[in-house]
Every structure is written in C-alpha cells, then in structure tokens.
Amino acid sequence: MSYEVKIREDWCKGCYLCQNLCPKDVFDKADEINEKGIVIVKAARENDCIGCMQCANHCPDLAISIIEEEEKDAS
Amino acid sequence: MNPEYLKYIRKEVFPTAFCPGCGHGILLNAFVNALGELNFDQDNLVVVSGIGCGGWIGSPHLNVDTLHTTHGRAIAYATGVKKANPDLDVVVMSGDGDLATIGGNHLIHAARRRLPITVICGNNNIYGMTGGQASATTPKGANTMTTPKGNEERPFDMVKLVKGAGADHVYRYTAYHAVKLKETIKKALISNEFYFIDVLTGCPVQYGRRNNLRDPMKMLNWMKDNSEFYKNEYKEDKIMIGEF
Ligand SMILES: Cc1ncc(C[n+]2csc(CCOP(=O)(O)OP(=O)(O)O)c2C)c(N)n1
Ligand code: SF4
Ligand code: SF4
C-alpha cells in the first residue's frame, strides 16, 4: 500500500503537530519562508507513510489529506 | 482531511482564524470527520455558538446553518431553534468562558431538561480571545492574566457539573484523543437526546505561554500524559476521559 501525503500549502500555518506526531518521520520543514512569513511543512519522505492518519486527524487547519494510491505495478 | 468531506466546510474562509496549533482547530477537524463519516445531512444541521475563539469553531468554518449568538447565550438560542423545529439536528459548540462561565446557567438547565441537543465545550481553561483571563475551568494554581500569582479558586469539573445537573450522556476527551472524540461526536449526532462532550482543546497562546505549554505539541503531550480512561474510579489528579 502506498499513500499520497497532500498538504494544502496555503492552509498550513506551521504548527508542526504533524511533524511531531508522525511515527514515520515523513515531514520536514520547508526550505523557505512563504509569502505569509511561515515556514510550512513538506512531505519529504512520502514513501515511508503508512497511512495512520495521525497527521490528518490532528491538523487544526484541515490542511493534510492522506490518499491511498493503487499499488504500483512492480514489473 | 478526506477531500470528500470538504463539502462540510466553507473553503473560502480557510485557513482558520485560530493561532497556529490551536486545539479548537483539532475539535473542528474531528467534527468535520464525524459529519463526513456519517454522510450527515448538512441541510438539517444547525450549529450554534456564542462569543470567543470557541465560538468560531462552527461559525464561519462549517458549511451548515450556523448561528453565532451573544456571549453565553448559545444554549438559549439553540433551545429556541429546537423548540420551533424539533426535526432539526441542533449542536451547540462554544468555549468554556462562554458555556461554563458566562452562560453556565443555561448549561445546567439544558442538562436538567435533557434538551434533545448536543453541547460540545471547546474547553481551553481560559478566556483566550480577550487575552487570557481566568475562567470557571481554569485549574487551581494556573497562571493567567487575572491570576498572575496562580489561580486561588477551584474550577468547575464540567463532567461532574453536567452529570450532577441531570444529563445522561456525558463525555470528555482532549485534542490529543481526536479519533475517540470523532466517534463520540458521531454518537451524539445520530442521537436525539442530550449529549454533553467536554473537549480539552488547549490554548497554546494565552494559556500555554503562561503555563510552560506554549508549544502546541507540548500541549498535546501534556494532555496525553495526564489523562486516563474512566473505568470505575474517578481520579482527581488526572484528566479523566471517556464516558461518564
Ligand atoms: C456580554 C459580553 N461580555 C464580555 C465579552 C468579551 N469577551 C469576548 S470573548 C470572551 C471570552 C471567551 O472565552 P471562551 O468562551 O473560553 O473562548 P476562547 O476564546 O477561550 O476560546 C469575552 C469575555 C463580550 N463579547 N460580551
Ligand atoms: S499518515 Fe501517519 S505515517 Fe503518513 S504522514 Fe501522516 S502521520 Fe506520517
Ligand atoms: S487565543 Fe488561544 S483559543 Fe484563541 S485562537 Fe489563539 S490559541 Fe486558539
């Protein structure tokens, strides 16, 4: 099973709850400050996501969606 | 958030007006998840709130009929809505300053009457919006703008208060327990009886910065480490969570 970790960048306020709660250390802080002056998060290790939903369920701004992807064809 | 559930929010007002990491947002998240998982009829739902950051959880964020009322009086307005049209699903969602302090009278009488509505208290133990004054749920010893040497008064325990006033369905969770909270909100939404859910949301800015919990994750960890599921014994030194 693989997952897309979708972050609505214009909704993220940089509280970093997702980064702290993720059991697989999927998130990093972004490299740059955005136009609102916020260092948002990025899904730096999306392939490690196990779909536990800790991040999505605790995001106070509803900015994270975890989307199950079809198993990629191995061949 | 499941993209299909975004129909329950007014996307144009996002991100929320809350400070980064505000627990009221986690309660909002759980509420939207509950609506989504139930595929709840959003045209039949009225969410009523009073004044304060807690009053903003439902209004303007939820894409349902929202009624943003005067300070402390959300339950009084909700009573009118429910009496006028008993077929509507009515939820009151507001802060501890609003529901327990200024509007405490309405809360105990709604519980006594077992009014068929759901009341969710976004309880952050403080008046957040106005700068952090002590409320009726501020713990003893806590530092606030109005209790700089620590709160000398004892707080209301919302669970005991509402149970004591006659309510049958009384719950408490914290923002850390977002999934349990969502399940309880679902139960309340499909019931036509009085439900009360005390949700410790945590205000990292006005409460946290004065009580060494400024970091939102530190606040959630504090909730996690200090809470315990209620079984038979109600422990005074713990945040008791679950069904009471
Ligand atoms: C009648 C009246 N009195 C006082 C106020 C000022 N006031 C605005 S918000 C608020 C406190 C709200 O506290 P709470 O319900 O705990 O919400 P929070 O902001 O902490 O989420 C107060 C006292 C008001 N708006 N109206
Ligand atoms: S779903 Fe779980 S594993 Fe995946 S990014 Fe979120 S917290 Fe990490
Ligand atoms: S003041 Fe407190 S309750 Fe209000 S939005 Fe900020 S963190 Fe949340």
Side-chain angles (χ1 to χ4, degrees):
Chain A
M1 199 71 77
S2 67
Y3 299 91
E4 182 194 349
V5 180
K6 196 169 161 232
I7 302 166
R8 277 174 217 88
E9 298 190 350
D10 48 337
W11 289 6
C12 176
K13 292 184 192 145
C15 74
Y16 311 122
L17 284 177
C18 53
Q19 190 187 13
N20 284 296
L21 285 163
C22 178
K24 298 309 248 180
D25 194 25
V26 164
F27 299 95
D28 274 345
K29 293 188 175 65
D31 305 317
E32 286 168 21
I33 299 176
N34 71 11
E35 66 278 6
K36 291 182 191 165
I38 300 170
V39 178
I40 66 168
V41 291
K42 62 176 182 185
R45 286 164 294 279
E46 194 173 42
N47 287 341
D48 293 344
C49 174
I50 52 171
C52 70
M53 306 290 286
Q54 281 280 7
C55 55
N57 286 335
H58 286 92
C59 178
D61 286 277
L62 283 57
I64 303 180
S65 299
I66 303 298
I67 297 156
E68 217 173 282
E69 288 177 330
E70 294 294 314
E71 208 59 64
K72 286 179 194 109
D73 200 339
S75 58
Chain B
M1 184 55 52
N2 183 333
E4 286 170 27
Y5 301 169
L6 295 180
K7 68 176 181 185
Y8 290 108
I9 62 169
R10 296 182 186 143
K11 289 200 254 331
E12 65 279 12
V13 301
F14 273 70
T16 68
F18 302 137
C19 308
C22 174
H24 287 338
I26 304 177
L27 167 54
L28 172 65
N29 186 322
F31 195 85
V32 174
N33 264 326
L35 292 176
E37 288 183 13
L38 291 171
N39 196 17
F40 205 78
D41 179 4
Q42 69 202 98
D43 293 326
N44 201 55
L45 175 62
V46 183
V47 175
V48 188
S49 64
I51 299 299
C53 302
W56 277 62
I57 301 168
S59 159
H61 301 116
L62 292 173
N63 188 20
V64 302
D65 285 325
T66 51
L67 196 54
H68 207 143
T69 73
T70 51
H71 203 5
R73 312 296 159 220
I75 290 175
Y77 284 84
T79 306
V81 172
K82 188 70 187 179
K83 291 284 176 196
N85 189 348
D87 292 336
L88 290 172
D89 299 299
V90 180
V91 174
V92 171
M93 192 151 43
S94 214
D96 52 289
D98 194 66
L99 288 172
T101 316
I102 292 172
N105 193 35
H106 301 293
L107 178 63
I108 55 175
H109 289 287
R112 174 181 64 80
R113 290 167 158 165
R114 297 186 181 147
L115 200 69
I117 63 170
T118 295
V119 177
I120 303 175
C121 183
N123 184 352
N124 57 14
N125 308 110
I126 199 132
Y127 288 149
M129 181 175 269
T130 43
Q133 297 81 4
S135 81
T137 64
T138 301
K140 204 166 182 182
N143 297 321
T144 71
M145 178 194 269
T146 46
T147 60
K149 294 178 184 161
N151 186 21
E152 290 175 3
E153 298 178 357
R154 56 191 183 136
F156 271 149
D157 178 322
M158 296 303 288
V159 162
K160 287 187 184 172
L161 178 73
V162 177
K163 268 235 84 103
D168 283 328
H169 308 292
V170 178
Y171 295 78
R172 180 187 289 121
Y173 285 106
T174 79
Y176 179 79
H177 304 90
V179 177
K180 294 272 182 200
L181 171 61
K182 172 198 70 186
E183 293 302 332
T184 301
I185 294 172
K186 281 162 71 176
K187 262 196 236 177
L189 281 169
I190 58 177
S191 159
N192 199 33
E193 293 179 24
F194 183 77
Y195 268 70
F196 177 76
I197 315 173
D198 184 34
V199 186
L200 293 200
T201 45
C203 165
V205 174
Q206 299 297 0
Y207 187 88
R209 74 185 156 101
R210 296 180 171 98
N211 294 282
N212 200 21
L213 295 167
R214 175 65 187 86
D215 177 68
M217 193 59 223
K218 203 171 170 191
M219 178 72 85
L220 286 201
N221 279 331
W222 176 82
M223 292 169 178
K224 175 186 163 201
D225 295 342
N226 289 287
S227 56
E228 196 176 303
F229 274 90
Y230 174 69
K231 292 195 186 81
N232 305 312
E233 192 194 349
Y234 198 100
K235 297 182 184 165
E236 299 297 335
D237 58 338
K238 291 277 176 197
I239 303 168
M240 297 309 294
I241 56 170
E243 182 178 358
F244 299 89

